[in-house]
Structure formats: structure tokens, C-alpha cells
């Protein structure tokens, strides 16, 4: 296949997150997180699965880094588990936690790979949640303390920093509909959690910079919103949903404002925090999976919109429609909306899950993933040709891992993990991506 070319300094990477791969949840002085509590609660995770072992990356990271070295990526996006660093959510850091990430980050650097570090990929210390979690403004201050600890320790080695991963998913899945930890079902009353996370982001950016960090950005999950019909009612529902899932997270950070339709749901005095939130950023991370369909609400629906599935596209096994041009549309619309307020963009997550299996000959054939990645990279290239400044692309994910409330069934990795033996097998897509990033 003829493949579009990317600039020589384009950053090729892979992404993971701590809770989804590390395991060892009770080792090294780690405190319990909201996800440990959630997975231990009956009925929350498919088949009752938990991440106590996951991909055992805590013990097997040298092997995983060797795989990345073979893959030839420039950068590795990992997350640090807050409950390993501050098991009780505040105060002096746990030396064993810091030393684990010291070893991990050093090993990544030694392999010639640049570490990209997410401070928070949803695994809040349980104590933080017990004190109100993201419903409490005080959590932003505790997060800033945590960020200062990480900045002081790792700023010398980390290339790019991401304070919070996808606050939208935390607000909606975690606090509005309860599909993810901490499992609250507050619907629109969850919106204050978006503000407190935005404030945590702003304070963390300041704390990281004060500690000497450079390359500070963010990573938000964005979906173009597609009204079911081209009618005023569906378009209005679409604009509202776009405010709720996209602009609520991008506007305060990039423009220093919130979408007007959401003002009534934000905590009192929110405007005073906007200058602290709108810190200048070195990059903006986009996590893209799929567009979101929407229609006007039916009678009796308390929400101003109704979600609709996107039809007519191939699907992943995680029920995601595969729509590469949605990524081009998203990037171009960001470029038009935010203009010179939008810093250079990295695609900090993009990927897909299939029911990959190891064949008798030891290979994993995943042609759908190769098509998915090629299609989405083509869309990135088109967006760049249309003027969007995209500097890097990170596949979600290096390894098959614990996919939150869906457990281990969705396999997102370039590398297959046999959870019985912890054996790693690079899939065909791994070899494809390897050729691409090594320019072979
Ligand atoms: C994203 C998450 C990531 C993973 C992928 C499939 O929303 O950031 O942890 O679950 O989806």
C-alpha cells in the first residue's frame, strides 16, 4: 500500500496507562485506588475481572521496553499511579513508588525512547474519593501537590507531560452515568467535576513548570458530533452535546471560557478560576476513537439530547464504528475554532480492539487493525495538508490490557498478551507499525 509520508521529526509512539497494565496493586506500598474498589464491587466489571495482575507490567517492564525498542518508536506514553506515589492522597511521597518510576523511566530512556508521562489516568487514591473526589474543589490542590512531587523528581527525563487523561470520560462515565469508577450516577450534576479537573490541570501545569518541566500539555478525548438528521432540533441537540463532551474540556484550557449553555451547571464563582485554568500549553493531545451520533430528545427525556449510534461503518469488537475521516474532521474543526490558541497537536491515543488470537504458527493476524491505523494516519496526513500542525501519533495501545468495565475481552494491543502465561506475542500490526516508524 502506498503510504503518505510524514515529516522526519514526527513523533511516533505508543500509549498505555498504569492501572490497565501494571498489576501488583498491593506491592511497593501502593494504596488502594477507586478502580480497585470498583473492580471489587459485584456487577461493575464484565465477568467480575479485576486488574490485580493485569499484564504484570510492574514486574515485566524490561521485557515490554525491549519490545518497544524492537518496534522502533520514538516515544512511550505511560501513566504514573497516584496511589503508588501518595498512597493516602497527600503528604510525603512513598519512596518505593518514586523508585519504581525512576527505574521505569530510566529504562525507557536507555532504550533511546522519550518518556511521555500522564500524571493521572483515572486511578485516584481511594482516600481522595472518600474526601469528595472530583466533586470537591480541594482535590485540585491535592493534585497540584502530587504534580509538584513528580515534576521535582522526573522533569530532567520526561519529554512531554500530560496532567490529566480525558477528564470528559472521568466526568461522564465516572460521575454522570456510573459505568466507570467511582460509579456515581449524577447526570448533569456531574458537571462540577469537569471544572475541578480543569482547575487541577491548570494548577498542575503551574506546578510542573515551577519544577522545571518543559513540554507540558493535555490529552482530551474528542468526538465529532453528528446530528441524526439535518433538522433544527437535531442540530440544536448536537450543539448541546458538543458543548458537553468537547467544548467543556477544550474551551477553558484554550480560550479561558466555558460554553454558555453549561454555565448554569458549573460551580459558583467558576469564572474566577479561568485564568488559572487557561495556562499556555506546549501541545494539545487529542485522543480519538469515533464520532458520536445525536438527535433531539424524545418526550420525557430530562436531557437536551439523545445519543444515537453511528451506522453504516465497520465496527470494532468494542462496538466502536470505524470512521477515519472523523479524525480529519475533528482536527480541522479544532484548527478553525481555536486558531492561534491551539498549540501543536499530538494524537495521544488512537486504536481499536478485536478478538485477536495467537495462531498455531505463533502469529497474530490482525489485518483490521492495520487497516484501522493506516486509515487514521491517512486522515491525520490530510488534516496536516489542510493546515493543522500535528507533531506526533501514539497508538493505543502497546499491549492488550484491562479495558476498564469491559475487562480483558477487548484487545487493543499491538502486542497480544496471554493472561494465563503473560506471554507477549507481537501481532501483524506490530510488524506493520515497526516498518512505518523505522521508515523501512
Ligand atoms: C480511552 C482511554 C484508554 C483506553 C481507550 C480504549 O478512552 O483513555 O485508557 O481505555 O479509551
Amino acid at each position: 500500500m502506498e503510504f503518505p509520508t510524514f515529516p522526519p521529526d514526527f513523533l511516533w509512539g505508543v500509549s498505555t496507562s498504569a492501572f490497565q497494565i501494571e498489576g501488583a496493586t498491593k506491592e511497593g506500598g501502593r494504596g488502594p485506588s477507586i478502580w480497585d474498589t470498583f473492580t471489587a464491587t459485584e456487577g461493575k466489571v464484565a465477568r467480575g475481572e479485576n486488574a490485580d495482575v493485569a499484564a504484570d507490567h510492574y514486574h515485566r517492564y524490561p521485557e515490554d521496553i525491549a519490545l518497544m525498542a524492537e518496534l522502533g518508536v520514538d516515544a512511550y506514553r505511560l501513566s504514573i499511579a497516584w496511589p503508588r506515589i501518595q498512597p493516602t492522597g497527600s503528604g510525603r511521597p512513598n519512596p518505593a513508588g518514586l523508585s519504581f518510576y525512576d527505574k521505569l523511566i530510566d529504562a525507557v530512556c536507555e532504550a533511546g525512547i522519550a518518556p511521555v508521562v500522564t500524571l493521572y489516568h483515572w486511578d485516584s487514591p481511594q482516600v481522595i474519593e472518600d474526601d469528595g473526589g472530583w466533586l470537591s474543589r480541594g482535590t485540585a490542590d491535592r493534585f497540584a501537590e502530587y504534580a509538584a512531587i513528580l515534576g521535582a523528581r522526573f522533569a530532567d527525563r520526561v519529554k512531554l507531560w500530560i496532567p490529566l487523561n480525558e477528564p470528559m470520560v472521568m466526568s461522564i462515565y465516572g460521575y454522570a452515568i456510573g459505568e466507570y469508577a467511582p460509579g456515581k450516577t449524577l447526570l448533569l450534576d456531574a458537571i462540577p467535576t469537569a471544572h475541578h479537573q480543569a482547575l487541577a490541570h491548570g494548577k498542575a501545569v503551574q506546578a510542573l513548570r515551577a519544577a522545571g518541566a518543559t513540554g507540558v500539555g493535555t490529552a482530551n478525548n474528542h468526538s465529532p458530533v453528528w446530528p441524526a438528521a439535518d433538522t433544527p432540533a437535531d442540530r440544536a441537540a448536537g450543539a448541546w452535546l458538543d458543548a458537553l463532551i468537547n467544548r467543556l474540556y477544550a474551551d477553558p484550557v484554550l480560550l479561558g471560557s466555558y460554553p454558555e449553555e453549561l454555565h448554569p451547571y458549573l460551580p459558583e464563582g467558576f469564572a474566577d478560576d479561568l485564568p488559572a485554568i487557561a495556562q499556555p500549553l506546549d501541545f494539545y493531545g487529542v485522543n480519538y476513537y469515533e464520532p458520536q451520533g445525536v438527535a433531539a430528545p424524545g418526550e420525557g427525556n430530562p436531557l437536551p439530547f439523545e445519543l444515537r449510534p453511528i451506522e453504516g461503518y465497520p465496527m470494532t469488537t468494542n462496538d466502536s464504528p470505524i470512521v477515519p475521516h472523523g479524525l480529519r474532521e475533528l482536527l480541522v474543526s479544532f484548527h478553525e475554532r481555536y486558531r492561534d490558541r491551539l498549540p501543536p497537536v499530538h494524537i495521544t491515543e488512537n486504536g481499536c480492539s478485536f478478538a485477536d488470537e495467537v495462531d498455531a504458527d505463533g502469529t497474530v493476524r490482525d489485518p483490521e487493525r492495520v487497516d484501522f491505523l493506516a486509515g487514521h494516519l491517512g486522515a491525520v496526513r490530510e488534516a496536516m495538508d489542510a493546515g493543522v500542525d500535528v507533531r506526533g501519533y501514539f497508538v493505543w495501545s502497546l499491549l492488550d490490557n484491562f479495558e476498564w468495565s469491559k475487562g480483558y475481552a477487548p484487545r487493543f494491543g499491538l502486542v497480544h498478551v496471554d493472561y494465563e502465561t503473560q506471554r507477549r506475542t507481537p501481532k501483524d500490526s506490530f510488524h506493520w507499525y515497526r516498518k512505518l516508524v523505522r521508515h523501512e
Side-chain angles (χ1 to χ4, degrees), residues 20 121-122 165-166 169 221 287 289 349 396 403-404 412:
Q20 293 177 277
H121 203 120
W122 309 343
N165 176 68
E166 299 185 351
V169 175
N221 183 308
N287 295 357
Y289 289 92
E349 283 182 29
W396 182 272
E403 178 51 26
W404 310 112
F412 274 92

